[in-house]
Amino acid sequence: MSTVLNEVIAANQEYSTSFGEKANLALPPARRFAVLTCMDARLDPAKFAGLREGDAHVIRNAGGRASDDAIRSLVISYKLLGTREFFVIHHTNCGMEFFTNEVMRGLLSNSLETAELGASGFRDIGKGPGSRAGEFIEWLTIPDQKQAVIDDVLRIRTHPLVPKSIPIYGYIYDVKSGKLIEVEGAAKAGAAS
Ligand code: ZN
């Protein structure tokens, strides 16, 4: 068995021994909000936003982007499970800033092995063959960090399945300080009405 698999199973056994009252948590998030954020391993929304089990929905993908699938989750979150406020939280030093659709498609067409991140961006060091299937995916990269937050807030705000009553907040998490920094213009873009 892999080391990681062993570690995860062992950690879970430990966690479950003191599970206690969490067995009685309700399905709808108690604090009635949802967070859309990046999958970056340095971000722990439970810690940086003070969440406990049962508190909130946390939707994560590469970049914390308002993709169709993120919106699917947000709609389920409010419509079926009663959330009333949404947060879009991107972060500094996001990997999504370091490539474009074109670069990703090129890397994948060369090789399916892990690329290397250098000073001039990602480059392939693995062997081929790759695949051109990456041409069919919109990778939702981030050319401008603040603009990406605004774009995502606006996309959710203007989506026909999202009610105007839900405020959407836009923040950038600073990986150097652990602080959430409000993106200028996001509050206005995401305001409820
Ligand atoms: Zn990221």
Side-chain angles (χ1 to χ4, degrees):
M1 203 153 60
S2 90
T3 306
V4 164
L5 180 54
N6 276 326
E7 289 168 354
V8 167
I9 299 304
N12 179 254
Q13 278 168 355
E14 173 73 20
Y15 177 72
S16 66
T17 57
S18 56
F19 200 62
E21 285 302 304
K22 291 194 281 287
N24 302 319
L25 287 170
L27 169 58
R31 293 171 63 200
R32 298 194 173 207
F33 69 97
V35 176
L36 170 60
T37 195
C38 185
M39 68 184 190
D40 192 294
R42 295 167 292 184
L43 277 59
D44 184 342
K47 288 182 184 154
F48 77 62
L51 309 179
R52 302 175 68 170
E53 290 93 336
D55 273 355
H57 284 144
V58 178
I59 298 146
R60 301 186 74 164
N61 63 32
R65 302 307 313 269
S67 61
D68 288 347
D69 196 65
I71 286 175
R72 177 184 71 87
S73 296
L74 289 169
V75 171
I76 289 169
S77 176
Y78 91 78
K79 182 67 184 177
L80 302 181
L81 295 161
T83 55
R84 297 191 290 211
E85 296 168 82
F86 295 162
F87 288 76
V88 171
I89 303 177
H90 294 183
H91 66 99
T92 58
N93 195 234
C94 186
M96 300 297 282
E97 297 170 72
F98 306 138
F99 67 99
T100 60
N101 273 334
E102 201 182 359
V103 166
M104 185 58 163
R105 289 166 182 163
L107 290 169
L108 286 165
S109 69
N110 286 335
S111 167
L112 301 185
E113 291 187 29
T114 301
E116 189 177 75
L117 180 57
S120 55
F122 287 98
R123 67 186 183 96
D124 254 311
I125 49 169
K127 61 180 191 312
S131 166
R132 290 186 52 77
E135 297 288 331
F136 296 92
I137 295 179
E138 164 54 58
W139 296 94
L140 298 173
T141 61
I142 299 181
D144 179 320
Q145 196 174 63
K146 289 179 182 168
Q147 189 61 50
V149 172
I150 302 277
D151 288 349
D152 285 352
V153 166
L154 276 176
R155 179 156 200 245
I156 299 164
R157 173 76 296 147
T158 57
H159 197 281
L161 297 177
V162 175
K164 303 279 175 257
S165 58
I166 295 182
I168 306 157
Y169 316 121
Y171 282 79
I172 289 174
Y173 172 87
D174 183 350
V175 298
K176 294 295 182 198
S177 68
K179 286 185 178 157
L180 288 174
I181 298 153
E182 189 173 9
V183 174
E184 195 183 333
K188 192 172 169 218
S193 60

